[in-house]
Amino acid sequence: MKFHWFHLMPWPYLPDDFQQKHRSVWVDVDYGLFDPVRGHHVYNEYLDELEFAEKCGFDGICCNEHHSNAYGLMPSPNLIAAALARRTERAALVVLGNSIALYNPPIRVAEEFAMLDILSGGRLVAGFPVGTSMDTNFAYGVTPATLRERYYEAHDLILQCWTRKDTFHFNGKYTQVRYVNPWPRPLQQPHPPIWIPGGGSIETWEWCADRGYLYCYLSYFGYIRGKAVMDNFWRRVEELGGDDNPYRAGFLQLVCVAESDAEAERLYAEHVSYFYNRCLHVYSGFADAPGYRTLKTVRAGIRAQVGAAASAIRQNLTWKDFVEQGYVVAGSPDSVAEQMEEVIKGLRVGHLMCLMQIGNMPKEKVLYNTKLFAEKVMPKLRSLWSEYEDRWFIKPLPPEQRARVGDIREPAAAG
Amino acid sequence: MPVEPITISIRGGMFQPRVYRVGRGEPLLWLHGAGGMAQGFTPDLEALAQHYDVIAPVHPGWDDTPGLEHLDDIHDLVVYYQDFCDALGLRSFFLAGHSLGGCFAAELAAARPDMVRKLVLVAPVGLWMDETPVTDLFVLLPQELPSYLVADPAHPSPAVAQLFRPPASEEEMAERLYQQIANFAAAGKFMWPIPDKGLKKRIHRIAAPTLILWGAADRLVPPAYGELFHRLIPTSQLRIIEGAGHLLPLEKTDEYVREVVDFLG
């Protein structure tokens, strides 16, 4: 069983009345709420936390891409991964990922990921999200009805960039390049593991199952709600004749560990509330541009969008609700281990992305949460799925072939 | 009596638009806006059919019709409408369009000035002024739509009341929401993220006498755009209708039809 430590890099200074005074945390969120000097500290503390997670024994450290988003300060996750590449040496750099439909030519993504893979000695996990509607359609202006077609085309081009050794041409609908020959191409062969993060769209996990890529369901709503999507994913894998290796699948889960259940509430409740009530306060006009989902998916989900069903979701939930409904796995190490086993087995996932910096959680609590999980929870769950081979993970260079990072000697005097 | 559309086949079935066709007289090709033709042959079209052979096709991709995947941009759409006219044997006709359909009509009139005898543009999109942005239709919540689309939602005309009638059931509500998402997804291909796809580089080719109609209370596409279209089409006249919004043909049907008939003759 593998555990990864996921950072969203939220802006932790949204005001108490954010929900009342602002319509959205995303797209048109007021830039007056940001402060670059505080931002300097925020970024550096967040990088410290990711580096700490490696030291504690997490298998991967994860970053992702959002635009015009006050809960995700990583418009370029590759910059974060580059900073981490030099300051870490073991953990996978899980970039979840680059929204490949946004870059023209997408060769840029092939190149940057290759650089990260080589710089880190083969530790890159390459995530290819379609990207949310807020990021792609609203903040980056991509026509919704063309987004998926762009995505598939970009994927094909990047794969060719990584696997072909010749200089070739690419005559796509959205990208035409006469001479494709990226320098460098990746270290891991035939290419870094490809993970597809998704928010539950049918077409995303179907495509993922079709291609044999790892599907990583990034839900903020916990394992109880996540089960329907993961069950469908596994059904699709089975239909396609794939094995039931749990390492095909990943899941994001909010995790809060403390000495006792009561202590967990005392320490973390305010940050969980900040996350759900401020970070996820998205104007519904931005949530799902017409054409972002295929009509098939819209048709399948349309009944849930109207009437009583639509208004019942996530209203005035308390800490108790968040924990009982599985949005957050929280409590003492024993209690968390027990719930985590349910998550892992229930969803059949071999890769768990733990979100342990939540909302405005300060660094001391983040380190405490992380350390306690690594020391008292992880060991109880490590052996799960040990009978399966993880074919979806990094293949780094062996230690004897690795560069000595930061090895600077005084230069000999000239002359 | 409701008007039933016929389905025709274009380019070997690549496109199968539904076409409403009623009336006798000179042919008048009518191009609908982003909302589609789900309301069928509305009272404004019925009134025009008293004077003309009204041909109102559903654009590919709207109202569950196929073919949108073959149209990547406005150029493809203009070529498509030339194929459409060939299929119907339309060589010379009156052309009218509303909103996004007005943009399509202006583009077709610019591309084929030889085919269009007279042009009517009803609150068209297709031009852009930074200081007066067109409202972003795509972020409006369903309950907000009426206040942007009509001048006086509290006192709707019968046609507007019919358009915004409360759904009879949750099923109908879901079906209408689905149709709106599907139609707006199609519209996005020609409007996203800003409805300015180069008409300004082609509009000078419009040669037909042109009537530009605008609701004085249009909150979706401000009437300032009427002035701009008027300035860029030397053969045009602009009429602003008081008490009407963006859905002018449904809001002030009598006045609207009178203007069109006076102009087309």
Side-chain angles (χ1 to χ4, degrees):
Chain A
M1 182 65 209
K2 293 204 172 65
F3 296 92
H4 310 284
W5 202 95
F6 197 111
H7 218 315
L8 289 168
M9 300 203 170
W11 182 242
Y13 301 112
L14 297 174
D16 292 346
D17 58 0
F18 179 71
Q19 218 173 6
Q20 291 73 42
K21 296 257 175 75
H22 300 265
R23 76 168 179 176
S24 189
V25 76
W26 212 332
V27 182
D28 62 355
V29 57
D30 178 6
Y31 191 68
L33 299 173
F34 189 78
D35 170 350
V37 176
R38 280 177 149 180
H40 168 69
H41 291 272
V42 165
Y43 271 125
N44 282 289
E45 288 185 4
Y46 285 172
L47 282 162
D48 290 344
E49 291 163 10
L50 283 156
E51 291 168 17
F52 182 74
E54 183 200 46
K55 289 198 174 59
C56 289
F58 279 83
D59 298 283
I61 43 183
C62 318
C63 53
N64 71 345
E65 172 177 337
H66 285 306
H67 300 278
S68 309
N69 182 339
Y71 84 70
L73 297 177
M74 285 182 282
S76 174
N78 298 353
L79 296 183
I80 297 297
L84 292 170
R86 290 272 297 178
R87 301 260 309 166
T88 59
E89 50 191 36
R90 179 190 51 79
L93 303 177
V94 184
V95 184
L96 282 179
N98 285 189
S99 299
I100 56 178
L102 300 183
Y103 301 100
N104 200 343
I107 296 167
R108 177 76 181 199
V109 175
E111 290 171 334
E112 290 194 0
F113 270 171
M115 286 176 70
L116 285 171
D117 196 40
I118 294 174
L119 183 63
S120 67
R123 289 188 287 136
L124 178 76
V125 169
F128 293 158
V130 173
T132 69
S133 194
M134 289 72 86
D135 291 311
T136 59
N137 307 136
F138 291 104
Y140 261 45
V142 176
T143 303
T146 67
L147 181 69
R148 277 168 208 277
E149 202 174 46
R150 283 175 193 273
Y151 173 83
Y152 296 134
E153 184 177 303
H155 162 270
D156 293 346
L157 175 51
I158 292 168
L159 257 277
Q160 288 189 48
C161 281
W162 284 351
T163 54
R164 291 180 66 157
K165 304 301 174 208
D166 56 338
T167 301
F168 60 95
H169 65 263
F170 187 84
N171 183 18
K173 181 164 162 182
Y174 299 100
T175 302
Q176 287 187 316
V177 182
R178 191 67 208 235
Y179 303 100
V180 186
N181 182 28
W183 275 63
R185 283 134 156 126
L187 188 152
Q188 296 182 77
Q189 293 298 314
H191 54 72
I194 294 174
W195 292 12
I196 311 295
S201 303
I202 296 175
E203 45 277 271
T204 302
W205 54 254
E206 277 194 345
W207 181 76
C208 202
D210 295 351
R211 306 285 310 207
Y213 294 150
L214 182 146
Y215 179 64
C216 194
Y217 183 26
L218 301 185
S219 164
Y220 301 136
F221 306 111
Y223 63 103
I224 295 169
R225 286 168 190 275
K227 186 146 173 49
V229 167
M230 293 311 296
D231 284 352
N232 282 326
F233 168 74
W234 285 115
R235 200 169 303 131
R236 180 72 182 178
V237 170
E238 192 184 351
E239 277 168 22
L240 292 164
D243 62 29
D244 62 354
N245 188 325
Y247 290 109
R248 285 178 186 280
F251 188 74
L252 177 100
Q253 180 64 56
L254 281 74
V255 185
C256 293
V257 199
E259 289 304 332
S260 67
D261 291 0
E263 179 73 354
E265 178 171 2
R266 195 186 67 78
L267 281 178
Y268 304 120
E270 61 175 303
H271 310 303
V272 165
S273 163
Y274 181 99
F275 180 74
Y276 284 103
N277 293 315
R278 294 182 221 179
C279 294
L280 299 191
H281 174 58
V282 179
Y283 177 60
S284 63
F286 294 140
D288 195 352
Y292 172 72
R293 295 182 195 283
T294 63
L295 292 182
K296 183 177 138 193
T297 297
V298 173
R299 178 60 93 188
I302 198 74
R303 276 302 274 112
Q305 288 190 38
V306 300
S311 54
I313 300 168
R314 213 177 79 237
Q315 287 204 336
N316 303 317
L317 296 186
T318 63
W319 169 261
K320 189 163 164 282
D321 302 316
F322 285 126
V323 174
E324 278 177 6
Q325 297 181 29
Y327 287 69
V328 182
V329 165
S332 69
D334 284 345
S335 155
V336 167
E338 196 179 307
Q339 294 169 68
M340 283 304 237
E341 188 164 347
E342 197 184 324
V343 176
I344 292 164
K345 288 184 173 166
L347 302 177
R348 201 175 174 80
V349 290
H351 293 274
L352 204 67
M353 324 287 129
C354 301
L355 190 69
M356 309 196 69
Q357 190 286 336
I358 296 165
N360 58 350
M361 194 189 289
K363 185 171 164 185
E364 335 62 271
K365 288 191 197 176
V366 176
L367 302 189
Y368 172 77
N369 191 16
T370 303
K371 190 159 187 281
L372 209 53
F373 184 89
E375 288 179 354
K376 298 204 172 155
V377 179
M378 231 194 271
K380 294 187 174 82
L381 305 166
R382 264 296 180 202
S383 61
L384 289 169
W385 311 128
S386 56
E387 65 276 33
Y388 291 91
E389 180 200 355
D390 184 357
R391 306 194 301 272
W392 292 266
F393 205 53
I394 55 168
K395 297 187 211 77
L397 278 180
E400 65 275 15
Q401 285 188 39
R402 296 281 281 277
R404 296 202 326 199
V405 175
D407 183 18
I408 300 170
R409 275 166 242 137
E410 284 297 311
Chain B
M1 205 176 113
V3 175
E4 291 302 321
I6 56 160
T7 298
I8 67 168
S9 173
I10 292 171
R11 293 178 64 188
M14 188 187 272
F15 303 99
Q16 294 167 43
R18 278 200 291 281
V19 184
Y20 296 83
R21 186 166 192 173
V22 184
R24 264 183 300 205
E26 298 292 324
L28 167 60
L29 179 61
W30 162 260
L31 302 181
H32 67 75
M37 285 287 290
Q39 301 301 310
F41 216 67
T42 41
D44 52 315
L45 294 174
E46 275 173 24
L48 289 173
Q50 303 297 316
H51 305 269
Y52 312 102
D53 167 15
V54 176
I55 302 160
V58 174
H59 309 311
W62 270 261
D63 299 344
D64 275 334
T65 57
L68 185 66
E69 67 275 23
H70 304 300
L71 302 177
D72 292 331
D73 54 27
I74 202 88
H75 182 66
D76 289 349
L77 185 105
V78 167
V79 170
Y80 161 78
Y81 267 111
Q82 292 174 65
D83 286 336
F84 174 88
C85 290
D86 288 351
L88 264 64
L90 289 170
R91 289 195 180 79
S92 174
F93 50 87
F94 296 142
L95 175 61
H98 174 227
S99 193
L100 179 58
C103 171
F104 294 167
E107 291 278 6
L108 182 59
R112 293 299 304 270
D114 56 309
M115 293 173 86
V116 179
R117 290 173 53 196
K118 285 186 180 179
L119 176 66
V120 179
L121 302 176
V122 188
V125 296
L127 298 175
W128 183 261
M129 292 182 281
D130 281 332
E131 64 280 15
T132 315
V134 174
T135 299
D136 186 358
L137 171 70
F138 301 109
V139 301
L140 299 179
L141 305 179
Q143 64 272 23
E144 291 179 319
L145 271 176
S147 68
Y148 282 92
L149 289 177
V150 301
D152 186 3
H155 303 92
S157 68
V160 169
Q162 168 67 15
L163 179 66
F164 296 127
R165 70 192 181 280
S169 63
E170 287 197 357
E171 277 67 32
E172 191 194 329
M173 194 174 169
E175 183 56 30
R176 274 156 61 174
L177 180 60
Y178 170 79
Q179 291 299 343
Q180 185 191 309
I181 292 170
N183 287 347
F184 282 11
K189 269 205 149 172
F190 309 96
M191 291 177 69
W192 195 281
I194 287 175
D196 178 14
K197 306 298 177 189
L199 176 61
K200 60 180 176 286
K201 295 180 289 184
R202 304 180 279 269
I203 196 167
H204 66 280
R205 296 282 300 164
I206 294 175
T210 300
L211 173 65
I212 301 164
L213 291 172
W214 227 281
D218 191 330
R219 283 184 284 270
L220 200 69
V221 191
Y225 282 91
E227 303 286 348
L228 183 59
F229 271 89
H230 179 44
R231 206 159 62 238
L232 295 177
I233 306 173
T235 53
S236 69
Q237 51 180 292
L238 171 66
R239 306 286 277 191
I240 306 281
I241 311 285
E242 293 300 323
H246 190 66
L247 298 186
L248 155 68
L250 301 182
E251 297 176 76
K252 294 281 176 191
T253 305
D254 294 344
E255 240 178 300
Y256 159 78
V257 170
R258 197 158 51 239
E259 291 285 353
V260 174
V261 173
D262 283 352
F263 171 71
L264 294 179

